[in-house]
Amino acid sequence: MESILPKSKKVKKPMQKSLKARDNELAATNRQLEILEGGLFAEGELPYFKDKINKIGHFPLRPKKLEILQINVGYMCNQVCEHCHVDAGPDRKEIMTRDTMKQCLEVIKNTGAHTLDLTGGAPEMNPDFRWFVEEAAKAGIKDFIVRSNLTIIRANKKYYDLPDFFKKHNVHVISSMPHYTRGKTDKQRGDGVFDKSIKALQELNARGYGMPGSDLRLDLVYNPSGAYLPGDQMAMEKDFKKALDQDFGIQFHNLFAITNLPIARFLDYLIASENYEDYMYALVEAYNPAAVANVMCTNTISISWDGWLYDCDFNQMLDLKVASKVKHIKDYNEDVLNDRNIIISQHCYGCTAGAGSSCQGTVA
Ligand code: SF4
Ligand code: SF4
């Protein structure tokens, strides 16, 4: 049988451009979905996610109480990481406008969610980022997260004061840190990323972020740098804490271990390295029914740079808008939205493998 996958081609690292800028066929979300729905699954070698969760009474997957509003303020980023599920990079021009931010602020003021989670790209690169943070902080949401890639803090003088800015608005900083060694970090995220990240972490620690007993929360996110699943989150947190403290005197609060989902650049990587089928087998084999009830989409709404609503950031990147009458922030209605079926596909196996995976780490 002929493979439905694109022809494998060795990828030079690090990549300099997004899939979109390279006109890669995977920049088309319907092509990604064709791969995820076809091949191994259509041929019956692996079960569809839908059938797996149906067996335990979770299909259709339904939301529980909304807890997290995740807002993606744009796909522009100073990095072009190999595994990026957003396909972010300096060449991505999709940026949330102030008008859309104003619509988000109305929602933030009235939401029942206790957590606001700003993400990107590098959210700090949105020209209205600081205005938005200042305004959003006034709503007094309990946990206000900004996902920072760390290197942005050292990318340009205009960002050097970000640690002070975060502190001023009591922002909870969650930062990617693929590993505590230079080699593994730079392999995934590009040359020089490790050193800049260390410097940024030291700057955050100097403001009190991540220090034992400090209310200024600093958490790190680990995701594997290859076609394998993350190890035990608690064990890794211990290793990260020990190594970063010993080598650089760095402190942080928690480590979240996140599974790479087979979409966008990670899908491209899997195909280019001829690991796609093995990875899907690994995800399905590691399926943990106990993780299903708490997958991220059951308590989150994801909002894109142009105001569309999604079940999660991954569905956003596959352009799978919510299955609801309310599809855009301008029509936002939490009660109507909460009465919907969540859209799933085979990428969802990434959220239920092992101890499960979400933007806040394990879920089971
Ligand atoms: S993984 Fe994060 S830091 Fe890397 S390119 Fe994507 S958005 Fe940027
Ligand atoms: S990928 Fe999104 S929709 Fe699928 S299980 Fe994970 S959070 Fe839910």
Side-chain angles (χ1 to χ4, degrees):
M1 170 143 336
E2 203 175 326
S3 171
I4 64 153
L5 301 179
K7 290 241 169 347
S8 149
K9 40 194 176 316
K10 295 289 171 222
V11 186
K12 279 188 198 151
K13 296 180 196 146
M15 286 179 282
Q16 299 299 326
K17 288 183 178 176
S18 66
L19 295 172
K20 189 171 182 198
R22 285 186 275 140
D23 273 334
N24 185 304
E25 63 183 290
L26 293 181
T29 54
N30 55 3
R31 180 67 180 116
Q32 293 183 50
L33 286 165
E34 188 179 58
I35 292 168
L36 288 167
E37 294 288 335
L40 293 171
F41 296 93
E43 288 158 22
E45 288 201 33
L46 289 176
Y48 285 114
F49 186 72
K50 169 186 166 179
D51 296 332
K52 279 296 238 197
I53 65 170
N54 196 24
K55 277 198 180 142
I56 54 165
H58 275 295
F59 184 78
L61 193 58
R62 299 277 297 173
K64 297 184 287 194
K65 188 178 166 354
L66 180 70
E67 297 182 78
I68 303 169
L69 270 183
Q70 190 173 60
I71 303 181
N72 192 314
V73 296
Y75 302 159
M76 187 179 282
C77 190
N78 57 317
Q79 292 182 189
V80 196
C81 305
E82 183 176 63
H83 67 286
C84 184
H85 74 272
V86 179
D87 191 28
D91 55 61
R92 296 301 298 263
K93 307 297 178 213
E94 300 90 336
I95 284 288
M96 187 176 273
T97 62
R98 198 177 273 218
D99 281 347
T100 307
M101 286 178 174
K102 284 179 183 165
Q103 292 176 328
C104 290
L105 286 170
E106 280 311 303
V107 170
I108 292 165
K109 280 180 207 155
N110 297 305
T111 182
H114 56 63
T115 297
L116 175 62
D117 185 342
L118 296 196
T119 186
E124 303 92 333
M125 291 179 84
N126 184 311
D128 288 315
F129 169 76
R130 292 184 193 229
W131 174 82
F132 190 43
V133 169
E134 280 163 14
E135 293 301 313
K138 291 179 195 162
I141 287 216
K142 199 168 141 215
D143 189 9
F144 187 179
I145 297 167
V146 171
R147 291 184 187 265
S148 175
N149 68 19
L150 292 177
T151 60
I152 191 71
I153 295 173
R154 304 305 303 166
N156 184 303
K157 272 189 187 155
K158 69 180 176 184
Y159 299 120
Y160 283 5
D161 68 330
L162 277 170
D164 292 314
F165 177 77
F166 291 149
K167 180 175 179 174
K168 183 173 172 203
H169 297 287
N170 196 22
V171 161
H172 170 178
V173 178
I174 300 187
S175 296
S176 327
M177 189 72 192
H179 207 253
Y180 49 80
T181 59
R182 184 175 285 104
K184 284 198 173 173
T185 298
D186 286 0
K187 174 185 175 286
Q188 183 186 102
R189 299 173 84 82
D191 288 344
V193 166
F194 182 76
D195 290 339
K196 278 190 191 148
S197 301
I198 292 295
K199 178 79 181 128
L201 286 171
Q202 288 167 335
E203 296 281 336
L204 287 161
N205 277 172
R207 296 345 183 255
Y209 269 102
M211 303 309 280
S214 170
D215 289 337
L216 294 168
R217 302 286 312 168
L218 173 62
D219 299 319
L220 300 185
V221 173
Y222 159 87
N223 62 296
S225 50
Y228 53 92
L229 306 184
D232 176 70
Q233 181 170 277
M234 272 171 67
M236 272 192 298
E237 182 178 286
K238 267 192 199 153
D239 292 346
F240 268 70
K241 284 198 165 172
K242 191 168 165 208
L244 289 176
D245 187 21
Q246 273 179 1
D247 296 348
F248 305 103
I250 286 171
Q251 311 286 318
F252 65 96
H253 290 129
N254 293 114
L255 180 84
F256 302 145
I258 293 188
T259 302
N260 288 313
L261 264 63
I263 66 170
R265 287 216 287 274
F266 191 65
L267 178 59
D268 180 51
Y269 159 80
L270 289 173
I271 294 168
S273 61
E274 297 179 354
N275 277 305
Y276 171 73
E277 298 198 343
D278 287 348
Y279 193 71
M280 294 313 290
Y281 266 99
L283 287 183
V284 175
E285 269 166 30
Y287 168 75
N288 176 3
V292 176
N294 295 322
V295 284
M296 191 167 62
C297 48
T298 57
N299 69 353
T300 303
I301 286 286
S302 159
I303 303 165
S304 64
W305 64 278
D306 48 357
W308 293 101
L309 307 175
Y310 300 84
D311 301 300
C312 70
D313 203 43
F314 305 112
N315 281 8
Q316 182 183 144
M317 301 317 152
L318 289 169
D319 199 22
L320 298 169
K321 296 184 176 77
V322 281
S324 168
K325 268 196 297 193
V326 171
K327 287 193 187 303
H328 195 271
I329 190 91
K330 66 179 166 31
D331 306 314
Y332 192 87
N333 179 317
E334 228 150 82
D335 292 334
V336 175
L337 266 173
N338 229 31
D339 184 20
R340 72 185 197 280
N341 293 339
I342 292 164
I343 299 182
I344 54 168
S345 182
Q346 283 35 269
H347 63 297
C348 297
Y349 274 116
C351 295
T352 56
S357 176
S358 76
C359 286
Q360 322 280 337
T362 56
V363 299

